[in-house]
Amino acid sequence: MASLGWPFVMVFSFIVFQGLFHFLSARISMLCCKGFRTLTDLQKTEWNSRIVSTFHALVVGILCLYLLWVDDAVNADPVWGDPSLVKLNVGLTAGYLISDLLLILWYWKAIGDKYFVIHHLTALCACYYVLVSAILDNSSNCGQDGKPWTKGKQQRTCASANRLPQQFLSSN
């Protein structure tokens, strides 16, 4: 990570998440979810946004758990330990946040919300602080640990589009 640097990771992350939104999400969804074709263009935009969000949450969540359970450098000294993998994780998140913020602004009618904009800008400020400072890296990793568990709405959207039973829709 030190040889790549977090700016590279952030730009790479941005490109990957834009590609996922614009090219892969719809193709995968058409193959896996028969109800995707019946969605309106606005609903497809929201759907693709949720796919990207869920993918980000899974990648970041898995890396967070790895750091929490396995990474000796961070666990040996959470405040001053080697934060290279944590910075990679935060760089991934910063790239995602910039990508998603751009999508929110571009597709405002479908997914725009001033609170999402505030959330993304605030999170970007936190990412910037972690990426340029030498402290609080591990605590930023812990703040991302909950990402994978907050995706109930994405699952309900998928279930609704595929006309799954109400019991599935009510579970979070």
Side-chain angles (χ1 to χ4, degrees):
M1 166 59 194
S3 63
L4 293 177
W6 61 263
F8 174 81
V9 171
M10 187 173 65
V11 170
F12 178 76
S13 171
F14 173 86
I15 292 168
V16 166
F17 288 118
Q18 285 289 312
L20 181 59
F21 179 86
H22 290 289
F23 304 111
L24 291 176
S25 176
R27 287 182 175 90
I28 292 168
S29 296
M30 281 191 277
L31 292 174
C32 299
C33 305
K34 59 185 174 195
F36 180 78
R37 294 177 193 266
T38 64
L39 298 175
T40 67
D41 287 342
L42 291 177
Q43 289 171 322
K44 286 179 182 177
T45 299
E46 184 177 0
W47 176 286
N48 292 336
S49 175
R50 292 178 188 281
I51 293 287
V52 172
S53 174
T54 301
F55 180 74
H56 166 256
L58 289 172
V59 170
V60 168
I62 289 168
L63 191 52
C64 283
L65 292 175
Y66 169 81
L67 288 164
L68 184 66
W69 291 336
V70 179
D71 192 275
D72 293 331
V74 171
N75 291 322
D77 188 355
V79 177
W80 301 107
D82 177 25
S84 58
L85 284 177
V86 174
K87 287 191 186 263
L88 173 119
N89 210 11
V90 176
L92 287 169
T93 295
Y96 162 75
L97 288 168
I98 294 168
S99 172
D100 202 43
L101 186 59
L102 180 68
L103 294 172
I104 288 169
L105 296 174
W106 189 259
Y107 297 102
W108 186 264
K109 191 172 183 181
I111 57 175
D113 185 329
K114 65 181 177 185
Y115 297 110
F116 282 160
V117 172
I118 293 168
H119 163 76
H120 282 55
L121 292 174
T122 305
L124 277 170
C125 288
C127 287
Y128 176 77
Y129 178 77
V130 168
L131 291 170
V132 299
S133 74
I135 58 172
L136 299 178
D137 294 313
N138 199 34
S139 62
S140 70
N141 186 57
C142 293
Q144 296 187 67
D145 282 346
K147 277 284 197 190
W149 320 121
T150 61
K151 298 302 169 194
K153 189 170 182 185
Q154 279 83 330
Q155 294 163 353
R156 288 191 301 275
T157 302
C158 178
S160 176
N162 287 294
R163 294 171 181 75
L164 294 175
Q166 185 64 33
Q167 304 90 294
F168 186 85
L169 294 173
S170 61
S171 68
N172 194 5

